Structures are given as C-alpha cells and as structure tokens.
Amino acid sequence: MASVGRGRQAKLSIPWEGMRELFHSWSGKGDLFAGLAAVLGNDEFQRWTPRDVERRAHRVLFENCLLSLQRMPVRTRDWLAVIPVHSQVAQVTSPSLQGRIDWAATRRSGWPPSQFMGRARQRSSDETLLSVLRWTVERMLLVYRDSRYVRYRSENSVERQLAALDELVERPELQQVEPVVPDAAMIKDLQRSGARWRVVAELADVLRREETRDLIALAKAQIAPDPKMGSALFHLGVFGIVLRVLRAGGHNPISLRPILGGAKGAAYEMATDGQTWHLWFEAADLWAEYGKVEPYVEAARGLKNPGRTKSPDILLVNRARRRALIIECKYSEKGDYIREGYEQVLTYLTEARTSMIDAGEAFVVAPGEMVSTASTGLTHSGPVTFCAPEHLEVELKRAFAQLQE
C-alpha cells in the first residue's frame, strides 16, 4: 500500500488530476470510501472497511462542526422555545362538546344531536424546518459517535450541546416528521428564521457537503487533512494517472472489478496490438493467480515467523509477452522512508523476472515536494526510477512504448 512515514506529517501534495480520472467511473462517496479501504486493507495492524474510512472522515468533519456547535443551546428547553408553532381555526366534528360550538350547524344535522359541530384552534409546527432540524441533529450525532469511535478528542468541549441535541431528537416534535437533507433553498429559509436557526443552517450546510457528488471536494475537505488517509489518496491518484496515460495512448482499459478491499484479480484489462495487458491495484494475490509460488515464500519456509509477503501497489503486466511495469507509492516527507521504495521495487522486479516476466521497469513515486526530477538507475533486473506524480505520465509513456517494441 502507499506508505506514510511516522510522526508529524508535512502538507504534501496529492495528484488530484489522477483522482479526477479515477472518479469518472465512481458514483458517490461509497465508492471513494471503498477505494480508500482497499488501499488501507494491507495494514498489518488493522483490517479496514469502507465504514472504517467513513469514521476517519467524520473525525475531520466533526472538527469542522465545532464552531457551530459551540453556539448552540446546552438545554433542550431552549430548543423547544424556538421551534416555530402556528395556530389556525378549523371546523371540527365531535361526539362531545369541544371548543366553540356552532349550534346552528349542529341543529341542521338532526336533533337531538349525535355530533356537535364547531370550531377549534389547532397548533402545528413548520414541518420543513423540523424535518431539516431532525436530519441535522441525527447526522451531527452520528458524526460525533464516529469521531469517538476512532478515539478522537477535541480540546473544545461541546458535550453539553451534544447532550441537548441527543434529548431533542427524541422529542415528539421531531419524531413526527421525516428527516430531510436540506438543499440550498432550505438553507436560506433556515437563515431567515432567526438567530438560532442561522446556526442550524450553518451546521446543516457543513454536514450536507458529505452528500455531494463532487468527490474531489469531499476528498479535499474530509480525507486529505488526515495523514493516514492522505497516503491512500496518493495511491489512488497515482493509479488514476496510470489509467489516464493508457487512455491518452488510445488504449481502452476495461474494468474487471470494483476497487474494493479483499477483491481478487486484476482491476482492469486492455487489448492492444493483439496482446492482453492486465492492470493490478494492490497485487497481493498475483502469484496465486498465475499459479506460481513467490520466491520469498520458498526462501522463508524454514522461518518460525516468516512475516507477511509484500506486493506491488500497482502492476501492469502482459503474461503472453512477459513484460511488466511495477509502481510503488511512497507518501512521506522522510527521505529514508522514500528510499526504502528502491529495495521494495527491486525485490518485486527481481522476483518477477524469475518466472513471470523477461523484461520490466519499476517506479517509486513520492510527492513532488520530495522529488525534484525523475532519475533512473539501471539494474540487472531492469530500470528503477524515482519520480513524482507530475513526472510519471511522461515516464510511463516512454516505458510502456519500450515494452511494446
């Protein structure tokens, strides 16, 4: 998986153009969370699911909600005092005396009367405002619970405000309406409904952005600020660059499976010049798929603790012509951590040369802040290149063209 060094993380760039290429075939945040979980799924300390990724994203979202929460009431009764209530006089029919009786209308229905006709004042709440309020409160409480699930603690305590919201959502005034995700017009209506409702509008506007179909905006707001999530975004962005290079070259990669954690086999397949290439995303089951045993597995059979085998982040392979491109993503500000990528890709390349390919090239891709220019070293197993995402497009075109010769 794309690696991130330990300790404080500098603000490192993400290849957003590659992300945009990948998002063309994704329909919503569920695909984004699933893709990130697929990258993080190789974490030896945790098995990631899309729901785990969503919880991490909610940690960032909760931080974005704090200013609004701090201005909210700490008592439920203060909320009930501002719920808008309207009253109107309505015609009613009742078997007993209620309200103001219309005796003339009652007499016309027969005497002695079995029903009494009259008028009564009925109170009702603004259903739209309450529906938006219910959605906002329920969503806010979910985000809060998720932020606690990942052991997040904010220095700015809003426990009393959240407790008031927890009580408010159980009130009949909110339970009698269905929650509604607000649109821009509803947000404006809330803003015009008073000072307290302006705070609700502000909070609802922050929360509803997670429902956007603009996955770039969502990733920038809730994923990229988290260093661990940033490394997964980097990996996905690099994969998107590979797809863009192939498509720009007139090739047509066909998706074989979604980008999901635990999914097996190549992610894309493409035919060019009568040959089939397979594009792998997290090539963990590569050797089993090809019916071969990885050399490391053979070498480590005698070890009591052989550890986990490692695999390329991204692999483009032609089994018939025995050619391959290998890519390892290193999202870190630590030079020694990035340099470890050389040993990794050289191992992958050397192992592949033993029984799977006859020629190949490998790349270690790190953030642009850490790589000033692409540089290549020639080894017995094949060329190894350090580069940034901005260099990768040119390097891949060159390498792929050479492997097709």
Side-chain angles (χ1 to χ4, degrees), residues 141-383:
L141 292 172
L142 171 65
V143 168
Y144 169 62
R145 288 192 294 269
D146 283 355
S147 71
R148 294 187 66 185
Y149 182 87
V150 293
R151 295 184 293 277
Y152 169 76
R153 293 291 183 272
S154 172
E155 296 178 358
N156 303 301
S157 177
V158 287
E159 296 290 337
R160 296 175 65 195
Q161 289 90 337
L162 289 163
L165 292 179
D166 201 23
E167 292 180 8
L168 176 64
V169 77
E170 299 299 330
R171 294 283 305 185
E173 291 87 347
L174 265 65
Q175 288 298 311
Q176 69 184 358
V177 299
E178 293 297 319
V180 172
V181 181
D183 57 22
M186 292 177 179
I187 295 294
K188 288 183 179 180
D189 287 343
L190 286 174
Q191 292 170 339
R192 291 191 290 262
S193 299
R196 189 140 296 158
W197 289 96
R198 282 194 291 274
V199 180
V200 175
E202 183 181 287
L203 182 60
D205 197 35
V206 173
L207 292 170
R208 77 187 182 101
R209 292 173 196 166
E210 191 177 58
E211 307 305 316
T212 180
R213 295 183 65 86
D214 184 350
L215 296 183
I216 293 290
L218 176 60
K220 287 182 176 180
Q222 289 182 222
I223 306 297
D226 184 327
K228 192 174 187 67
M229 295 295 104
S231 70
L233 280 178
F234 185 83
H235 186 162
L236 289 172
V238 172
F239 188 73
I241 291 174
V242 176
L243 286 174
R244 186 171 68 172
V245 168
L246 296 176
R247 288 166 178 159
H251 310 294
N252 183 30
I254 304 298
S255 176
L256 299 178
R257 63 168 177 84
I259 305 298
L260 295 172
K264 296 184 180 299
Y268 285 82
E269 178 182 275
M270 74 177 188
T272 178
D273 297 330
Q275 298 290 331
T276 300
W277 292 77
H278 286 104
L279 178 60
W280 289 70
F281 182 85
E282 293 289 356
D285 60 328
L286 173 69
W287 292 88
E289 178 77 11
Y290 290 171
K292 299 182 182 297
V293 179
E294 184 179 355
Y296 173 80
V297 173
E298 294 281 15
R301 286 191 190 281
L303 298 180
K304 291 184 178 180
N305 183 17
R308 298 179 62 191
T309 59
K310 296 186 179 296
S311 57
D313 286 339
I314 301 167
L315 173 74
L316 180 64
V317 61
N318 182 329
R319 292 182 63 183
R321 296 196 62 194
R322 297 174 62 85
R323 302 284 190 270
L325 292 175
I326 293 171
I327 299 174
E328 182 71 15
C329 302
K330 287 291 185 181
Y331 185 75
S332 177
E333 62 179 331
K334 298 183 180 300
D336 57 346
Y337 203 77
I338 294 172
R339 289 190 294 272
E340 288 178 9
Y342 180 85
E343 298 173 6
Q344 286 180 259
V345 297
L346 190 55
T347 298
Y348 301 149
L349 198 54
T350 301
E351 288 193 327
R353 287 289 302 271
T354 60
S355 61
M356 193 177 298
I357 64 173
D358 297 326
E361 186 164 345
F363 299 87
V364 179
V365 185
E369 293 82 356
M370 303 304 298
V371 185
S372 58
T373 185
S375 52
T376 303
L378 300 179
T379 76
H380 179 73
S381 299

